[in-house]
Structure formats: structure tokens, C-alpha cells
Amino acid sequence: MEGSVSITVVSASDIIIARDLGRKIGKELNFSQTDLTIIATVISELARNIILFAKQGNILLSSTKQGNKVGIMISAEDKGPGIPDVFLAMQDGYSTGKGLGLGLPGVKRLMDEFEILTETGKGTKVTVIKWSI
Ligand SMILES: Nc1ncnc2c1ncn2[C@@H]1O[C@H](COP(=O)(O)OP(=O)(O)O)[C@@H](O)[C@H]1O
Ligand SMILES: [Mg+2]
């Protein structure tokens, strides 16, 4: 895969499109079936957060390299309300909605790299990477 692909996320069907594209890219990068499921789960969770808390945003999928490692980079970006307390949002069981509050901490556990940039009133960007062996 060359470059990256951006999916606008506004509805449930967009989550499926992003998830399936992530699987396709992951497959091209020789990820295992287990990892492909993890990748799909992470994309679904981040896309769901966009819809729930920011109404709309983008999922960016790209292949990435570091030394001899190859991986998939998933970036979820929105111009929503932002997260006032990231530390709190990263605690298991913390949710301002009706969720289980396992989304963000779960995503962090499932991926190799995790970064969250957020500003109240400006938006949120969550970038994660999974390396393939
Ligand atoms: N994109 C986002 N924009 C604004 N707030 C968010 C976003 N994603 C997550 N949050 C906040 O972080 C909290 C924790 O997220 P998460 O762990 O996914 O749990 P849940 O989705 O079950 O509430 C959410 O309840 C919400 O307050
Ligand atoms: Mg969530």
C-alpha cells in the first residue's frame, strides 16, 4: 500500500467502511488473523467515539515503517469538544456517555504505540500504530 487513505466518519456505515479498509491494508501488510481482528476492533472503537462524542471526523489509515519494522497507523481525528481530562478518560470504566469506558484504555492495550492530542473546544486526534512482526 502506498500513501494513506482517509475515511469521513459520520454514520454507522462509515465505521464498517473504515474497519473493512483497515482489514484490507492489514492483510496486505501480512498481519495475522488475530491482529486483523484487533485492527478492526480498534478502528471501530475510535470511529464510534468520533460519532458519539464529536458527531463527525476522519479516520486515516496508512502503512508506516521504522527501521525494519512495518506497521499500520490509524489516526482518528475530529473537531469535536475535545477531552478536558485525558488522564481520566484513559481510566478503565470512565465514560461520560453510556459506554463501558473501556474504549480508549482498551485501544491503548491492543496497540504498540498510542498518542492522544486533544484540546477543549478544538478537537481530538488519537494516533495508534500496530507493528507486524
Ligand atoms: N473523540 C472524542 N471526543 C471527545 N471526547 C471523547 C472522544 N473519545 C472519547 N472521549 C471521552 O473519553 C471518554 C472515554 O472514552 P472511551 O474509553 O472510549 O469510553 P466510552 O466510549 O465507553 O465512553 C468518553 O466517555 C468521552 O468522555
Ligand atoms: Mg468509546
Side-chain angles (χ1 to χ4, degrees), residues 28-82:
E28 284 166 12
L29 295 171
N30 293 319
F31 277 99
S32 67
Q33 279 303 322
T34 308
D35 280 348
L36 293 178
T37 303
I38 287 172
I39 288 162
T41 303
V42 163
I43 293 170
S44 296
E45 177 50 33
L46 294 178
R48 204 170 291 133
N49 277 354
I50 287 177
I51 290 173
L52 275 174
F53 304 112
K55 304 255 191 298
Q56 62 172 288
N58 281 283
I59 296 279
L60 243 108
L61 304 171
S62 54
S63 62
T64 182
K65 271 186 189 173
Q66 198 177 94
N68 51 11
K69 289 190 296 185
V70 174
I72 184 167
M73 181 155 75
I74 302 158
S75 203
E77 221 179 336
D78 66 65
K79 292 186 166 60

Side-chain angles (χ1 to χ4, degrees), residues 84-109:
D85 190 336
V86 178
F87 178 79
L88 207 54
M90 289 307 296
Q91 304 304 304
D92 279 334
Y94 178 83
S95 174
T96 58
K98 291 178 194 133
L100 294 174
L102 293 170
L104 287 176
V107 165
K108 187 174 184 184
R109 282 191 289 266

